[in-house]
Amino acid sequence: KDVSQFIISSIEEKVDVSVYFKEEAPEEEIFVVKEQLSQIPEVKEVKYVSKEEALKSFTERHKDNPVLMGSLEEVGINPFLAALNVKAFKANQYEVITKFLGNSKFKNIIEKVDYYQRKPIIERIFSLTSTLSKVGIVFSIVSVILAILVVFNTIRLAIYSCREEIKIQRLVGASNWFIRSPFLIQGAISGFFASLICLLLFIVVIWGLSPKVEILFPGLNLLNLFKSNFGLIYLIQLTIGVGLGVISSLIAIRRYLKV
């Protein structure tokens, strides 16, 4: 669940609408609009992008495209407009924000708001994340149950084969933690390998889904997103795997330690 929520949050972070301002719009007034937008409950974040920043970002993104770079040189001037990138909490809140801008006293300095051009993709992304969230919860519950059953039964078999040894240890006065420790270590190791298997399966799923998701949402590459956050994702899986292994060991050995 943590991993799926992390990916969903990362996808939603890419959703925004841009408010473009006319060439002659004073920067001070743009910052006033930014301040007013920030006070709307539906607005999560507002970021100002100057003409220079827009040009730099475009150049970096398309530096390997000679056609676009040649066209930019032909223009001879900076063709980009200053803009505000606005993020909302939910997909249906972007329309509220767009209407607010259309009715504000600053509408005369606004060139356009690209909400209606981006509305279909915004709705599809939020629909996808909603589906992913539900699938992630179901998948997480099933995965946790399966992991507990596999690790629990593996440890229980190991404990059962050592039951005579456990009885002897108890007879000679060994403490419960002395008896538990080898099985806890075994549970942790099982959890470690389980997290590796889970990671490999996760990579296969991401590798298979990434091209399909990128067709639906150009610029959204799940594989690159996974690579850039690999350490955090694996840390989450490792913690859960080892934790489940240790807990399963504690539960499995409990009956053998009862007086």
Side-chain angles (χ1 to χ4, degrees), residues 140-209:
S140 299
I141 292 170
V142 172
S143 297
V144 168
I145 292 172
L146 286 175
I148 289 173
L149 288 174
V150 170
V151 176
F152 180 78
N153 283 310
T154 302
I155 299 300
R156 191 173 64 172
L157 286 171
I159 293 170
Y160 183 78
S161 64
C162 298
R163 64 190 184 282
E164 294 302 325
E165 184 182 333
I166 293 172
K167 287 179 183 177
I168 293 169
Q169 287 178 330
R170 287 191 61 79
L171 287 172
V172 298
S175 68
N176 285 348
W177 278 110
F178 181 84
I179 299 170
R180 279 192 192 109
S181 55
F183 299 106
L184 294 180
I185 293 169
Q186 187 175 349
I189 292 171
S190 299
F192 169 75
F193 284 109
S195 69
L196 284 179
I197 294 169
C198 182
L199 182 67
L200 289 173
L201 290 173
F202 198 72
I203 290 171
V204 171
V205 171
I206 292 291
W207 183 77
L209 283 179

Side-chain angles (χ1 to χ4, degrees), residues 46-64:
V46 185
K47 181 183 177 184
Y48 172 64
V49 181
S50 67
K51 293 176 58 177
E52 294 72 23
E53 287 172 331
L55 176 61
K56 183 181 176 183
S57 175
F58 180 87
T59 304
E60 287 177 356
R61 233 178 19 248
H62 302 288
K63 60 185 177 184
D64 297 324

Side-chain angles (χ1 to χ4, degrees), residues 54-81:
L55 176 61
K56 183 181 176 183
S57 175
F58 180 87
T59 304
E60 287 177 356
R61 233 178 19 248
H62 302 288
K63 60 185 177 184
D64 297 324
N65 189 323
V67 177
L68 287 176
M69 297 311 295
S71 301
L72 192 60
E73 288 177 11
E74 283 290 324
V75 174
I77 59 169
N78 185 348
F80 296 97
L81 298 172

